Amino acid sequence: MPVNEGNGVTIITSDDIRNNLGKRDLTYFVYDDACPPAPGCVVPHNPPSPSASGIPYAAVWQFAQSPRRKEFTARCAATYHVDGNCYTPGDIKHVWFLDLDSATTPDPSSGRDEGR
């Protein structure tokens, strides 16, 4: 998410890191729950691509969180439960708070490769 640094300067942390990283290669997990570009607390059949976050090199995008941040999610408030949280569609008791992410691969952190 763009952050106002004051004096007319706005930065995006992932861009700042990428621009100052040198030749090292990182996998970027970005966060932006502002609607739009975030769709809100919806579990779409085809989730939005991480690049839809506005960061073309993102591998993972967190587009919803619990509890919702009202100042950024007003345009998609109806997608959240009335208590302001996001829940899985089958959680009728509203027990599990949910954050929603999308990724370019099933395992962007390569965690399954650990210990091999």
Side-chain angles (χ1 to χ4, degrees):
M1 292 185 70
V3 176
N4 183 348
E5 292 287 299
N7 298 321
V9 176
T10 300
I11 67 163
I12 295 175
T13 303
S14 60
D15 285 345
D16 190 50
I17 291 168
R18 192 169 193 232
N19 292 335
N20 292 289
L21 190 63
K23 295 183 180 189
R24 293 173 283 175
D25 189 31
L26 291 179
T27 299
Y28 288 86
F29 182 122
V30 300
Y31 167 79
D32 187 352
D33 62 339
C35 306
C41 180
V42 294
V43 182
H45 181 68
N46 293 310
S49 168
S51 63
S53 68
I55 306 298
Y57 52 86
V60 181
W61 174 27
Q62 182 177 10
F63 57 85
Q65 74 169 19
S66 289
R68 81 177 181 90
R69 298 184 312 153
K70 293 178 182 178
E71 67 274 25
F72 298 109
T73 59
R75 293 177 75 185
C76 60
T79 65
Y80 289 83
H81 188 269
V82 295
D83 69 3
N85 291 306
C86 186
Y87 299 101
T88 61
D91 183 9
I92 59 172
K93 292 185 180 182
H94 303 121
V95 176
W96 303 102
F97 295 161
L98 186 65
D99 295 340
L100 293 172
D101 309 332
S102 65
T104 56
T105 67
D107 186 19
S109 65
S110 301
R112 291 183 211 158
D113 294 336
E114 290 289 322
R116 286 189 183 177

